[in-house]
Amino acid sequence: MESLITTPQINLLKFIDDSKTSQIKINQHISSPLYREQAEKRSKMISDIFYDLLLVLPKGDYYCGRVVIYFVLNSEEDTIFLDYEFYSIQEIEVNGCNVPIDPDAADLNDLLNHKYFVEGSNCIRIKYVNKYKKTGIGLHKFIDPSDQKEYIYSQFAIYNAHKVFPCFDQPDLKARMGLTLVSPESHENLSNSQEIIQIKSKSSHEECEELLDNYNLGFAKDLFTGGYKISKFSNDQLMSSYLFCIISGPFDVHSREENIPGRDTKLKMRYLCRESLKPKANKIYEDVHEATLTGIYWYSDFFGTPFVWEKYDQIFCPEFKFGAMENAGAVTISETSIPLEEYTTNKCLSIQNIVLHELCHMWFGNLCTMKWWNDLWLNEAFATYMSYLCVDQNQSLSSKTPGIWIAFNKGKQSAINIDTLSNTHPIVKYTPHTDSAEDLLNSITYGKGPSFLKQLVKIIGIDLMKQTCSLYFKKFAWQNTTLEDFVSCLVESSEGITFEENFNLEKFCVDFLNSKGVNTIYAKINENEEEEEDSTCVSFIQKQGVHSSKVNHQLIDYCIISKNSQENSYDFNYYSLMLNDKRNYEQRVEHSECSVSTSFVIPNSGDHAYIQAIPDNFLIKELQNGLLSKIPDEVDRVIVWRGIVSLCSKMKLKPSALMNIIYENFPDEENLMIQDILGPCFFSCAFHYLPRARFESICKKLCLRYYRRILEIAQKFEEEPTKHYEELIKVLKSSMINYLYGNEQAQMATKWLQKGYITDEEDKIVEALNLTLSDRHKLLKEIFQYDSIDLKVKQELLQKELDVDKSDTAHRLKICCDSSIPDLENKAKVWEMIIHPWDYQLSIYDYKEYIRGFMAISQWELLKEYEDKYLEALPTFADCGDKEYMDTFVSEAYPKFLNDEDGYLQKLEEIYSRYRLKDPIKYDSFLRLVGGQQYEYIKGYRSIRNYEMQDSDSDGQEGAPQPCTGS
C-alpha cells in the first residue's frame, strides 16, 4: 500500500487538464469489504450522524471533495474507523485539530488516532481527490459519443458510498446528508432532496463565499471566471448511506406535479434522460408517469402509510450496472429500459415493473431498512412481488400488459436453476461481509423471495397481507428491521385466524426463509385401491431436492384435464390442496370423475407454489395431439413447458426429444410474453444439452421452422394489420436469429442485411419483414463470426450502420463485431484486453461486449487454446480487488464449448480448492462463481449430453417423442 501523499498540484476548482494528470502522483487506496462483526460493533459506538459534503465535478478523470462528518460517540471502548476509497488525501481535521498526514501511513484510519475523539459530539473534516469510475459503481462518468456531453451519476448499493466520500457505510447507521455540488453550468444537478440554492457563475462574490464558507476552500472568487454553478440541497430526511444519490449532467427534464394521499402540497415528479435519447424517452414518459402515480396511490393504501419523500425523480442513466436503483426520492434506471425502436407490449410491461419495483422501495427498503444484508429480502422480495401485484390489482395497468404472472415465472425459474446447485443458499443467507452481500443480488433474492410472498398470500389471503404491511410500517418506520420483525407483525395480524390442521404460520415462514434448495411435485391419476368400488384418485408426492434442506407446506392449485375423444376436446377443472411437509409422502385425493387413460394433471396450476412441477408420461404423450395449444390458462402452459424442460435436466427425457416437442409446438405459440421468455430458454437448452453436431443440426431445422412461421404471420398481417401480429413477428424474428448457425445461414443473413428485409423463399422482399435496429445488430454480430463472409463485405455493412447511428449502442456493436473476427492475431489482441481491463480503462458495458464477441459460439475450434488461458487468468481476477471485473470475467469469459471437459474440470477444481484453503470467507464470491455455478453447470451439461448419446432410453420417458426430423 502506497503512502497517503497529498497532491497539491490538483487545483480544486480549475477543472483538471487531462494532459497534466499523468504528471501527478496519485496514491490509490482500494477498500476492503466491511465485515458484519465490524459493523455491529461500530453501530453500538456511534449515532446521530450528519454528513456535509461538497463535491467539485470537473471535466476529466478526477473530482474533488470536502466532507464534514458530525456524529455522537457513545463509547470510547474501541477505535473509530471510516470506510473510504480515494486517490489522495489533502487535509484531515478532527474536532478542530489538524491531523498530520504521515507519508508512511498505509491507511486513513491509522491517522485517526483515538486521542482525537471524545465521548459525545465529534466532527471530522477531510479534503481529498478521487477518480470517476468506469464500472458503474461509486461515481460513474459517461461521455455520450453522439455529442460528447458528460453525464455523472452515483451507485452506492451495496457498499459503494465510501468510494465517493469517507463515511460509515452500513445500512443501520442512518444519517442525514447536506450536499453541495460545483458543476458545469449546463448541468442539471440532483440529489435525494430538493435543490434549495443555486448560484451560477454570474452571481456575486459574497453569495459564493457565504455558500462555501463552511468548507474553507478559498476559491469562491474564481467563480467569476464563468462556466459552472453551485447547487445546494436540503438535508432533512434520514436514510442509509447506500441510498444517497448524486446526479449531474445536461439531462433533458420532463416535470409534473400531482396531488397524492397524505400530502397538502403537490408532489414534484421529474423524468430525466440524456439529451440524445429524448425522442425515444418521450415515448414512455406517459406510461412511466401513470405507473408511478397509480403505484403511489395503491401502495399508500396497501401499506397504510403515505409516500414520505419530499419529491420523486426518475433518471435514466447510461451504462447502469443494475436494472434500477431505489435512491430515496431519486431513482436511477438503466437506459436499456428505453426502447430504441418499437415500443412493444412486452417492453411496456418491463418498464411498468421496474417503475413499480423501485417505487415500492420507498417503503420497503428506504422507510424501513434491513439491519444487515442477510435480510436484503425484506427490500427486494417485497419490491418484486408487490410490483406484480400492483399491476394485477389495477386494471388501468393490467389492461396494457397482459401476462404479468408469466413474467413473474421468469424470475422464479431463474431462482430454481440456482437452487438446484450444491452452493445454493436460503433466502435469508449468512452474510459475513459486504462482498458476500453483493452476491445476494441474485435470483434467490429476486425470484425465490417473491415466490415465498406469492405462496404466503395464497395461504393467508390478500387482506391479511395488507393488514400485516400496515402494522409493519406503523411499528418500524424510519428504523432498521430483521426477519423476526416482519414475522412478528404477520403473527399479530393473524391472531384468531384458523389455518389447516398441522399448519403453523410462524414456523412456515421461518422454515421457508431459512431453508435452501427446491423440491419437486409429481402428480398422477391412479386407480384408488383403498376403495371397494372402482374409483380413481390423484396422487401427489413432494420429493426433496438433492440440495434441498427441507420440505415445506405449500398450498397448490392443480388442474385436471379430461379428454373427450369423440369431440376431440378437453375439459379443464381446478382444485386446491395443501401439500404437507413430509418428504416422499403420497397424498391421495379422490376424483371419481377421472379416467386413468384419458385424464391428465397439471400440478401447481397458476404457479402459486415454489416447486418444480413435473408432468406425467400421459400428459407428455398427449402433447403430440395438440394439447398445449388448447390449455386455456397461459400461466399453465408455461408450467407445462417448464416441467418438460425439468424432465430433460433430470435425464428423464432426451434433449433431442425435448427439441422435437419444441419444434412441433412452440413456434405456433401466439402469446407474446411466453414467446419472449421461453424462446431464449429453449435456445439455451439446445446449446447446453445437445452434443455439438446435433446442436448445429437442430439450429438449422428450428431456424427454418421459425422462418416459415414468420412468413405465415406476415401474410396474416398483410390481411389484418394488427399490433399483435406486428409484435409477434418481432419476437419470432428474434428467436429465428438465435438459431442462425453455420456458413449457409450466415450467407442468408448477409443477403437480408444488404436488402434491409427478410425475403421469402423466392427471394422476394416481404414488406412486413423489414429489419429493425435490433434485427440488424443481431444479424451483424452473427455474420462477423464466419470467415465464409468476406471481411470487406461485413465491414461495409457495419459501417453503413455506424454512419447513421453515433450512439453508444452502435459503439458497442462495433466492439462485439470486431472482437468476433475469426483471426488468430485478432483473438490474441482482444484476449489481452479481456485479461487486463483495468489497463484499458474499459467500462463494464464495453468489457462485456469484448467478451461476447470474443466468445462467438461458432468458433469453438479457434478458441480451443483459450481454455487453459482462461484458467491461468482466474487467480489474477480472484486477487484483483475489483469485484465488478472479477464477476464479469469469471461468469462470462469461460469457454462455452469445451474440448476436454474432464481435464478442464479437474484444473478448475484445483483452483477452487486452493482458494478455499486460502480464505473461504474472503474469496466467497469467487468460490461461488467458480466452484458452484461454473463447475456444476459444466458437469451437469456434460451428463445430459452423455445421456443424449446413449442408445437405450431405459431411464427416459416411455414413448417419448423422437428426435426432430423437420425439413
Side-chain angles (χ1 to χ4, degrees), residues 498-667:
T498 303
F499 297 100
E500 292 208 15
E501 187 179 358
N502 299 322
F503 178 81
N504 180 286
L505 182 59
E506 181 176 6
K507 183 178 184 300
F508 164 77
C509 293
V510 173
D511 285 351
F512 200 118
L513 292 165
N514 286 287
S515 60
K516 64 178 183 177
V518 62
N519 302 312
T520 304
I521 181 71
Y522 294 87
K524 187 177 181 181
I525 295 175
N526 294 317
E527 299 289 349
N528 194 344
E529 298 173 357
E530 297 178 1
E531 298 292 328
E532 294 182 2
E533 298 182 4
D534 290 341
S535 66
T536 53
C537 67
V538 181
S539 300
F540 295 90
I541 299 178
Q542 187 177 182
K543 291 192 175 182
Q544 188 168 354
V546 176
H547 303 298
S548 171
S549 57
K550 188 161 189 335
V551 171
N552 295 301
H553 283 286
Q554 294 204 66
L555 180 59
I556 67 166
D557 289 342
Y558 59 97
C559 174
I560 294 181
I561 306 170
S562 299
K563 182 178 181 180
N564 187 326
S565 301
Q566 292 181 341
E567 298 180 8
N568 193 27
S569 62
Y570 300 89
D571 293 327
F572 299 84
N573 294 287
Y574 299 88
Y575 308 89
S576 296
L577 173 70
M578 175 67 83
L579 297 176
N580 63 36
D581 57 356
K582 299 176 182 178
R583 63 177 182 173
N584 301 334
Y585 180 83
E586 184 177 11
Q587 291 177 258
R588 290 178 168 240
V589 182
E590 184 177 354
H591 283 281
S592 57
E593 74 280 11
C594 292
S595 166
V596 172
S597 59
T598 60
S599 297
F600 325 102
V601 186
I602 301 176
N604 198 26
S605 172
D607 198 29
H608 295 286
Y610 179 77
I611 201 164
Q612 286 185 303
I614 304 298
D616 65 19
N617 293 359
F618 295 105
L619 191 148
I620 295 290
K621 288 180 182 178
E622 194 62 25
L623 298 180
Q624 298 176 75
N625 296 323
L627 170 60
L628 259 172
S629 63
K630 296 175 182 177
I631 296 174
D633 188 282
E634 295 161 344
V635 174
D636 283 357
R637 295 208 296 276
V638 174
I639 295 298
V640 172
W641 276 118
R642 296 292 194 195
I644 297 167
V645 173
S646 295
L647 279 172
C648 187
S649 66
K650 294 175 183 293
M651 291 181 284
K652 299 294 184 183
L653 182 71
K654 289 287 186 77
S656 52
L658 167 66
M659 299 314 298
N660 185 62
I661 297 172
I662 293 168
Y663 178 91
E664 295 292 345
N665 293 274
F666 191 66

Side-chain angles (χ1 to χ4, degrees), residues 67 155 158 168 250 256 295 339 437 439 600 771 830 834 852 862 885 917 949:
V67 65
Q155 172 55 44
I158 282 181
F168 304 114
R256 302 285 286 268
D439 296 332
F600 325 102
L771 296 179
V830 176
I834 288 173
R852 286 167 187 161
L862 189 65
Y885 283 134
L917 288 172
M949 297 301 291

Side-chain angles (χ1 to χ4, degrees), residues 84-257:
Y84 73 99
E85 180 177 314
F86 39 58
Y87 268 64
S88 75
I89 300 173
Q90 300 270 308
E91 297 173 2
I92 310 173
E93 183 183 290
V94 178
N95 291 332
C97 300
N98 287 322
V99 177
I101 300 178
D102 183 353
D104 296 324
D107 192 315
L108 166 65
N109 289 309
D110 290 345
L111 305 176
L112 298 178
N113 195 292
H114 191 67
K115 67 182 181 182
Y116 292 113
F117 298 101
V118 297
E119 195 164 322
S121 298
N122 289 265
C123 175
I124 304 173
R125 297 172 184 262
I126 301 174
K127 185 164 70 174
Y128 59 93
V129 175
N130 217 336
K131 190 173 184 178
Y132 293 111
K133 296 284 188 181
K134 295 286 187 73
T135 53
I137 59 170
L139 204 57
H140 183 96
K141 174 176 278 190
F142 170 81
I143 300 176
D144 190 332
S146 64
D147 56 19
Q148 299 305 305
K149 292 180 178 178
E150 296 188 353
Y151 296 85
I152 298 164
Y153 62 84
S154 62
Q155 172 55 44
F156 288 165
I158 282 181
Y159 181 60
N160 294 307
H162 69 281
K163 294 178 180 176
V164 176
F165 66 100
C167 59
F168 304 114
D169 201 358
Q170 62 190 73
D172 63 341
L173 286 177
K174 291 192 173 186
R176 294 175 175 83
M177 181 175 77
L179 175 66
T180 303
L181 296 179
V182 178
S183 73
E185 196 165 15
S186 62
H187 282 204
E188 292 286 340
N189 294 329
L190 297 89
S191 187
N192 307 91
S193 53
Q194 299 274 21
E195 185 180 40
I196 55 174
I197 300 175
Q198 183 182 113
I199 298 178
K200 295 189 176 180
S201 56
K202 296 181 181 179
S203 302
S204 71
H205 186 174
E206 290 74 20
E207 283 182 288
C208 301
E209 288 285 8
E210 182 180 353
L211 185 60
L212 299 176
D213 180 63
N214 187 46
Y215 303 101
N216 190 29
L217 295 173
F219 62 61
K221 62 181 181 181
D222 293 333
L223 286 173
F224 292 104
T225 61
Y228 48 87
K229 66 180 180 183
I230 303 173
S231 298
K232 189 173 180 66
F233 298 87
S234 60
N235 49 42
D236 297 331
Q237 293 183 301
L238 198 66
M239 66 190 75
S240 300
S241 56
Y242 79 93
L243 295 170
F244 292 143
C245 183
I246 299 161
I247 306 287
S248 183
F251 289 95
D252 175 71
V253 183
H254 186 89
S255 300
R256 302 285 286 268
E257 291 187 2

Side-chain angles (χ1 to χ4, degrees), residues 19 66 77 107 110 148 161 212 230 259 283 303 305 353 364 375 445 474 694 792 801 812 819 841 914 927:
S19 64
R66 177 73 179 259
E77 294 179 3
D107 192 315
D110 290 345
Q148 299 305 305
L212 299 176
I230 303 173
N259 292 311
K283 298 177 185 177
F303 301 152
T305 303
N353 181 251
F364 279 101
D375 276 315
T445 299
K474 182 179 179 181
R694 295 189 183 183
K792 184 179 178 181
E801 198 70 28
R812 284 189 282 273
S819 301
Q841 297 187 348
R914 187 196 321 162
L927 293 171

